[in-house]
Amino acid sequence: MLIKKSSPWEIPYSEITPQSVYLSRRRFLTRTVAAGAALAAGRAVLPGWLSPTGAQAGTKLTGVTKSSYGTDEKITPYEHVTNYNNFYEFGTDKEQPAKLAKDFKTSPWTVAVEGEVAKPAVYDLDTILKLAPLEERIYRHRCVEAWSIVVPWIGFPLHALVKMVEPTAKAKFVAFQTLFDPKQMPVARHAGIPFPYVEGLRMDEAMHPLAILCVGMYGETLPNQNGAPFRLVVPWKYGFKSIKSIVKIRFQEKQPPATWNLATPNEYGFYSNVNPDVDHPRWSQKSERRLGEFLKRKTLPFNGYASQVSQLYAGMDLRKNY
Ligand SMILES: Nc1nc2c(c(=O)[nH]1)N[C@H]1C(S)=C(S)[C@@H](COP(=O)(O)O)O[C@H]1N2
Ligand SMILES: [Mo]
């Protein structure tokens, strides 16, 4: 089977990297069997992960350049990053999203950009992928629950999308929304937080070059449990700001709601910059455990990105604006 390469999604199955060893054998077999069955039935269908309208999780991304942004710290093993997740739509236990998001349908996928912009639009994922060159960014990620990971994300700066849709002078904040489909997310009703999951950034935060829209990791498209097909990554903030599986981006004058702030405002603020000096009401934020490591390490202000982002908050009391 020959597939024309016109976007990073469209790659022949033979090109999928040895990283496919990470795919569970069962999932691999299911795909192979499904493809075989379709061929046997004489149907001219492409298996989903080769379809030109979007790839499934775990498809190699081509044409990715290494970015000068990012850390040279040791990358956390893929197994940890993909089996210990927060994605409450698919369960509140860390091991649940890897299992319960397995069949999450991420293709076709569209993202609506609306509100205070000159060019509102509904983008499909292929268009989004062509907005800007894809870069690999190795970032630290610090969950508010005091664990951390180092991940080779693949994406492009959020400001590339912001500039393209031409925000009006009234656009002071950017609001993000995750898909909510109770049929595909039946356990979500036990999560104890409101859905759809929403988040937001101030405009200058959204324009900061460290903030990225992310379509992949470890050389491949995002696994479902990590927010496929399209998520935000804001490395200087606690992990819950990095909203997954985005379907809507809205520009607005008012500060948008944020899910954890709605759920427990005394515990989670809008800004949520990593701050070792402000404890969570129920635990310390001074240190963290890197997944796969035994000893704890010190948590750094702004998760180690202070020299790049602290000027965004000049004059703000970061104890009050937590
Ligand atoms: N839609 C949605 N996005 C989400 C979450 C969630 O529950 N739902 N959890 C957040 C939290 S608390 C963290 S720490 C990160 C975890 O990302 P990871 O599983 O890729 O490590 O996703 C964030 N994005
Ligand atoms: Mo988190």
Side-chain angles (χ1 to χ4, degrees):
M1 204 185 317
L2 245 177
I3 286 114
K4 207 168 84 274
K5 272 199 207 175
S6 65
S7 87
W9 294 138
E10 298 166 56
I11 57 148
Y13 184 59
S14 59
E15 271 184 40
I16 291 179
T17 56
Q19 204 138 85
S20 59
V21 297
Y22 289 128
L23 298 172
S24 79
R25 176 137 182 89
R26 208 171 97 226
R27 212 171 110 219
F28 176 74
L29 284 175
T30 313
R31 288 172 169 188
T32 312
V33 168
L39 287 178
R43 276 181 280 131
V45 290
L46 282 175
W49 74 95
L50 291 181
S51 116
T53 52
Q56 296 302 298
T59 304
K60 190 185 174 196
L61 282 164
T62 54
V64 179
T65 58
K66 301 247 183 248
S67 165
S68 49
Y69 289 97
T71 163
D72 50 13
E73 275 176 73
K74 190 171 151 280
I75 290 171
T76 304
Y78 183 91
E79 286 77 3
H80 290 296
V81 175
T82 56
N83 287 293
Y84 191 87
N85 301 102
N86 274 332
F87 198 167
Y88 271 32
E89 289 86 334
F90 293 107
T92 56
D93 290 346
K94 303 284 182 270
E95 303 75 25
Q96 276 180 315
K99 298 184 185 105
L100 301 181
K102 199 161 52 71
D103 299 320
F104 181 40
K105 196 167 178 289
T106 58
S107 161
W109 191 272
T110 57
V111 182
V113 180
E114 53 187 50
E116 290 294 341
V117 288
K119 296 180 174 165
V122 176
Y123 296 105
D124 62 32
L125 204 55
D126 287 328
T127 311
I128 286 177
L129 277 166
K130 289 173 194 143
L131 285 183
L134 294 182
E135 297 171 22
E136 181 177 82
R137 300 265 187 110
I138 301 169
Y139 281 166
R140 286 179 293 275
H141 173 105
R142 172 57 159 80
C143 178
V144 78
E145 295 167 299
W147 51 270
S148 66
I149 46 184
V150 176
V151 184
W153 303 110
I154 296 169
F156 56 84
L158 171 58
H159 65 61
L161 181 137
V162 174
K163 281 176 195 149
M164 200 185 54
V165 297
E166 298 178 15
T168 70
K170 277 190 179 164
K172 302 281 190 277
F173 293 90
V174 192
F176 301 87
Q177 187 177 312
T178 296
L179 178 84
F180 182 50
D181 178 0
K183 282 210 187 66
Q184 294 194 78
M185 302 160 168
V187 296
R189 63 198 178 91
H190 306 297
I193 58 172
F195 295 114
Y197 195 97
V198 291
E199 257 305 339
L201 294 174
R202 213 170 57 190
M203 198 61 154
D204 58 340
E205 298 179 318
M207 294 303 287
H208 195 282
L210 280 176
I212 57 170
L213 287 169
C214 171
V215 295
M217 56 191 233
Y218 298 86
E220 301 187 338
T221 53
L222 283 171
N224 293 344
Q225 62 269 36
N226 293 93
F230 181 58
R231 71 175 295 176
L232 182 70
V233 175
V234 192
W236 70 94
K237 293 177 179 282
Y238 289 118
F240 62 84
K241 296 294 285 183
S242 294
I243 182 173
K244 295 176 169 179
S245 306
I246 297 167
V247 289
K248 196 188 283 188
I249 301 177
R250 189 181 175 80
F251 292 76
Q252 57 191 61
E253 192 161 19
K254 279 195 349 210
Q255 180 176 299
T259 293
W260 280 101
N261 177 246
L262 289 174
T264 33
N266 64 317
E267 298 185 1
Y268 308 107
F270 176 78
Y271 284 95
S272 303
N273 295 312
V274 174
N275 190 346
D277 297 331
V278 176
D279 287 344
H280 186 279
R282 291 181 277 130
W283 61 83
S284 162
Q285 295 292 24
K286 284 191 174 37
S287 65
E288 67 200 56
R289 196 176 66 82
R290 190 69 45 93
L291 296 190
E293 292 181 4
F294 180 69
L295 292 174
K296 284 196 167 185
R297 53 175 74 217
K298 259 177 74 180
T299 288
L300 302 170
F302 298 103
N303 200 23
Y305 300 96
S307 63
Q308 291 156 85
V309 300
S310 58
Q311 78 281 0
L312 293 174
Y313 311 100
M316 274 176 74
D317 181 346
L318 294 178
R319 289 185 166 272
K320 259 166 74 189
N321 295 287
Y322 56 87

